[in-house]
Amino acid sequence: MSRPVRIGVQLQPQHAPDYGLIRDAVLRAEDAGVDIVFNWDHFYPLTGDPAGAHFECWTMLGAWAEQTERVEFGALVTGGGYRNPDLLADMARTVDRISGGRLILGIGAGWFQRDYTEYGYEFGTAGSRLNLLKDNMSRLTARLRVLSPPPVRDIPILIGGGGERKTLRLVAEYADIWHSFVDVETLAHKNKILAEHAAAVGTDESRIERSVQWQGRAQAEQLRAAGVSLFTIGVSGPDYDLAEVRRAIEWRDEVNPELLEGLA
């Protein structure tokens, strides 16, 4: 399945002591032409001063639903270990409704131990967190099907991670977008594993969009040739410098000429 290239920006909600800095970054990102604006679901900074300023993910997404007009948005990714899946489905449906149908529901198994221990959640092991994510995905998707009113659209589900035995199985079964941190060679290998899982659960792996972190234009060219269509640039507060985002958008517009022609 051939897909147009899309550019996302992850506005990491850290080191911005005034939420207005994040609000402004969202506005600048949408005006710059990004396709998707992401945040992340952590409770503390991941880089820099560990005691630095930080804001919560899902309350922020509700604000973005009202603030933005065009972009899709979501978490890259929601921590599966500290979000009740039925409540998360209801939160996602509500935010999707507020935005008019632009939410992407990103979710992963979780990995940052401080998030768990300081907020009173059981950290467990990588295996136990993936088992919990498996249980949660069935509950989450079931809840989405019975909410009234329903989401505006079938909310795209993004699953982050690259574990070949468990995570890619969940991607094959539930995801519309698979986000990973890979180079071209690793992507080719994991694509084969994903295809095997998709065949086992009876789904078409070509329907799953491949998503990676932006690693520069040269690497993006190779990854695009290998099937990646969504590239996301992470930027941190307090400045939220979008210079690299703009360069990625310029590249996107070069490789998607048919979309620009359609706007002419």
Side-chain angles (χ1 to χ4, degrees), residues 81-101:
Y82 40 78
R83 301 285 181 178
N84 175 284
D86 293 272
L87 177 58
L88 178 60
D90 205 344
M91 292 160 57
R93 179 280 307 257
T94 300
V95 172
D96 185 66
R97 278 274 170 179
I98 293 169
S99 71

Side-chain angles (χ1 to χ4, degrees), residues 24-46:
D24 174 70
V26 173
L27 176 63
R28 290 189 286 117
E30 185 166 49
D31 287 349
V34 301
D35 299 291
I36 306 171
V37 181
F38 291 111
N39 61 8
W40 67 29
D41 189 16
H42 295 285
F43 304 137
Y44 298 95
L46 297 186

Side-chain angles (χ1 to χ4, degrees), residues 134 168-175 194 197-198 201 203 207-208:
K134 177 182 178 181
L168 291 184
R169 178 79 174 203
L170 293 175
V171 170
E173 189 169 359
Y174 293 105
L194 179 57
H197 284 306
V201 299
T203 63
R207 69 174 179 77
I208 303 169

Side-chain angles (χ1 to χ4, degrees), residues 4-228:
V5 167
R6 301 198 292 167
I7 298 298
V9 60
Q10 185 187 51
L11 301 177
Q12 300 162 356
Q14 59 178 6
H15 307 307
D18 179 351
Y19 177 74
L21 295 169
I22 298 175
R23 183 188 300 112
D24 174 70
V26 173
L27 176 63
R28 290 189 286 117
E30 185 166 49
D31 287 349
V34 301
D35 299 291
I36 306 171
V37 181
F38 291 111
N39 61 8
W40 67 29
D41 189 16
H42 295 285
F43 304 137
Y44 298 95
L46 297 186
T47 61
D49 181 3
H54 201 279
F55 288 99
E56 193 276 327
C57 167
W58 272 90
T59 45
M60 185 184 304
L61 293 180
W64 291 6
E66 284 283 5
Q67 177 187 352
T68 57
E69 297 179 354
R70 175 188 57 81
V71 293
E72 292 183 290
F73 63 96
L76 189 62
V77 289
T78 305
Y82 40 78
R83 301 285 181 178
N84 175 284
D86 293 272
L87 177 58
L88 178 60
D90 205 344
M91 292 160 57
R93 179 280 307 257
T94 300
V95 172
D96 185 66
R97 278 274 170 179
I98 293 169
S99 71
R102 293 181 287 115
L103 179 72
I104 293 174
L105 178 49
I107 192 165
W111 62 272
F112 189 44
Q113 186 169 0
R114 187 182 180 194
D115 289 332
Y116 290 78
T117 56
E118 295 216 25
Y119 274 57
Y121 297 100
E122 181 180 352
F123 185 59
T125 65
S128 68
R129 293 192 299 278
L130 282 166
N131 289 338
L132 179 61
L133 180 61
K134 177 182 178 181
D135 293 341
N136 285 351
M137 289 306 303
S138 62
R139 289 176 55 185
L140 185 153
T141 51
R143 180 61 59 185
L144 282 172
R145 290 193 293 268
V146 299
L147 291 168
S148 179
V152 174
R153 62 175 179 172
D154 289 334
I155 300 174
I157 292 175
L158 178 154
I159 293 179
E164 295 179 6
R165 188 168 64 89
K166 294 183 178 181
T167 303
L168 291 184
R169 178 79 174 203
L170 293 175
V171 170
E173 189 169 359
Y174 293 105
D176 301 286
I177 306 169
W178 167 43
H179 183 80
S180 59
F181 300 84
V182 294
D183 55 24
V184 175
E185 292 75 19
T186 304
L187 177 66
H189 169 71
K190 291 187 182 292
N191 272 335
K192 293 178 182 178
I193 303 298
L194 179 57
E196 293 172 1
H197 284 306
V201 299
T203 63
D204 179 5
E205 58 86 20
S206 68
R207 69 174 179 77
I208 303 169
E209 184 173 15
R210 271 56 165 184
S211 166
V212 300
Q213 292 295 111
W214 174 260
Q215 302 164 47
R217 180 172 180 145
Q219 187 76 346
E221 293 280 5
Q222 298 178 38
L223 287 163
R224 175 175 175 256
V228 175

